[in-house]
Amino acid sequence: MSNKTCTNIKIRPKNNTIVLSCKDMTIGYEDQTVLSNLTFEVKEGDYISILGENGSGKSTLIKTILGLTPPLFGNFEFKEGFSHKNIGYLPQQSSAQRDFPASVLEIVLSGFLGKKGWHPFYTKKEKEMAITYLREMNIEDLKEKAYRNLSGGQQQRVLLARALCAAEELLVLDEPVTGLDPTAQAELYQMIEHLNKHHGLTILMISHDIPGAIKYSNKIIHLEENSYFFGTKMEYKASDLYQHWKGEM
């Protein structure tokens, strides 16, 4: 990744404001409880990794934050003026999505659609912003290429640029490095860290990579059946959950 900071991307000051919070919330689907009494808060500039085994509720939690699944009890409180539309989201890809017949630039521009309402055409400013985000991901030269012909690492960069088109302050990532080779994983981690540290974007990332979470995050949410951990990564390293994971290595 380039060491140059792209000055066209908004720099967000970190002032410890709470972006979203929940208290004693129950999440689930179709009246089936996945996790109860969940309490945590996300502050501006946080980089929070969400850990846990399959079925522990990670995806349900993210869908609830995105407004796709209503909580069974309680709700989120966003800071004033913030809404689900201000969240940039990088989901996991299906095989069909990886083969999507569109250009890189078309994919990135589609990140603006959630904010456009009934306006069918992209503005000059949106097109300029899309190019800026491609440049930040070091893939501007691929803008006319077919998305389906890119490598897995390149596709993830495209989707990260797309998510930036929607992200006002909060970027939600669902296992973004899964399936990538070690080099592509390291590069994507560096890009996400750059967005967090240099541009002040708040990060929420689902991950199975505990060493990566420890290295890059400042806070951890670890979900278990009927329980969870939320705290700083230093508190997490002293927790029973982390010690149990270390014992299984």
Side-chain angles (χ1 to χ4, degrees), residues 19-66:
V19 177
L20 69 88
S21 63
C22 72
K23 184 176 181 180
D24 296 329
M25 189 175 69
T26 298
I27 60 174
Y29 51 91
E30 297 180 355
D31 297 325
Q32 179 67 43
T33 297
V34 174
L35 194 66
S36 301
N37 302 317
L38 183 62
T39 298
F40 69 91
E41 63 184 22
V42 180
K43 294 183 178 180
E44 289 182 352
D46 272 344
Y47 186 148
I48 302 178
S49 288
I50 304 173
L51 308 174
E53 298 295 329
N54 291 333
S56 61
K58 301 187 301 298
S59 294
T60 304
L61 174 58
I62 289 301
K63 289 178 181 177
T64 306
I65 292 173
L66 294 171

Side-chain angles (χ1 to χ4, degrees), residues 36-238:
S36 301
N37 302 317
L38 183 62
T39 298
F40 69 91
E41 63 184 22
V42 180
K43 294 183 178 180
E44 289 182 352
D46 272 344
Y47 186 148
I48 302 178
S49 288
I50 304 173
L51 308 174
E53 298 295 329
N54 291 333
S56 61
K58 301 187 301 298
S59 294
T60 304
L61 174 58
I62 289 301
K63 289 178 181 177
T64 306
I65 292 173
L66 294 171
L68 303 176
T69 301
L72 300 182
F73 179 80
N75 55 26
F76 283 104
E77 291 187 7
F78 290 105
K79 77 172 191 176
E80 186 177 356
F82 194 83
S83 74
H84 299 109
K85 291 184 178 181
N86 302 129
I87 301 174
Y89 178 45
L90 195 164
Q92 293 186 53
Q93 282 198 93
S94 66
S95 297
Q97 289 168 328
R98 292 189 184 95
D99 199 38
F100 195 73
S103 73
V104 165
L105 184 56
E106 287 172 333
I107 294 289
V108 175
L109 282 168
S110 70
F112 290 112
L113 291 177
K115 299 179 179 180
K116 292 181 70 64
W118 291 101
H119 302 288
F121 301 107
Y122 297 111
T123 66
K124 180 181 178 181
K125 181 180 179 181
E126 288 169 341
K127 293 176 181 177
E128 290 174 346
M129 289 176 66
I131 295 297
T132 294
Y133 296 143
L134 285 169
R135 187 178 304 128
E136 184 76 356
M137 297 297 106
N138 288 337
I139 52 173
E140 183 184 4
D141 59 321
L142 301 178
K143 64 179 183 293
E144 302 301 333
K145 298 288 186 181
Y147 175 77
R148 68 201 308 175
N149 294 334
L150 302 184
S151 69
Q154 290 171 330
Q155 287 189 345
Q156 286 298 82
R157 293 190 194 195
V158 172
L159 294 180
L160 186 53
R162 180 185 184 275
L164 288 173
C165 292
E168 293 289 336
E169 296 180 47
L170 177 61
L171 191 60
V172 175
L173 313 171
D174 192 348
E175 299 189 39
V177 303
T178 298
L180 302 182
D181 63 64
T183 299
Q185 284 188 9
E187 290 175 348
L188 198 65
Y189 269 133
Q190 289 169 10
M191 289 178 176
I192 295 167
E193 182 183 40
H194 180 79
L195 292 170
N196 175 249
K197 289 188 174 181
H198 294 276
H199 297 301
L201 264 177
T202 304
I203 307 293
L204 268 178
M205 181 171 69
I206 291 180
S207 178
H208 285 288
D209 180 13
I210 293 181
I214 293 296
K215 181 177 181 179
Y216 293 103
S217 305
N218 70 316
K219 295 176 184 175
I220 304 288
I221 298 173
H222 192 137
L223 304 181
E224 288 267 293
E225 186 176 1
N226 300 320
S227 67
Y228 73 96
F229 169 91
F230 171 66
T232 68
K233 67 179 177 183
M234 297 305 296
E235 292 169 338
Y236 178 64
K237 290 176 73 173

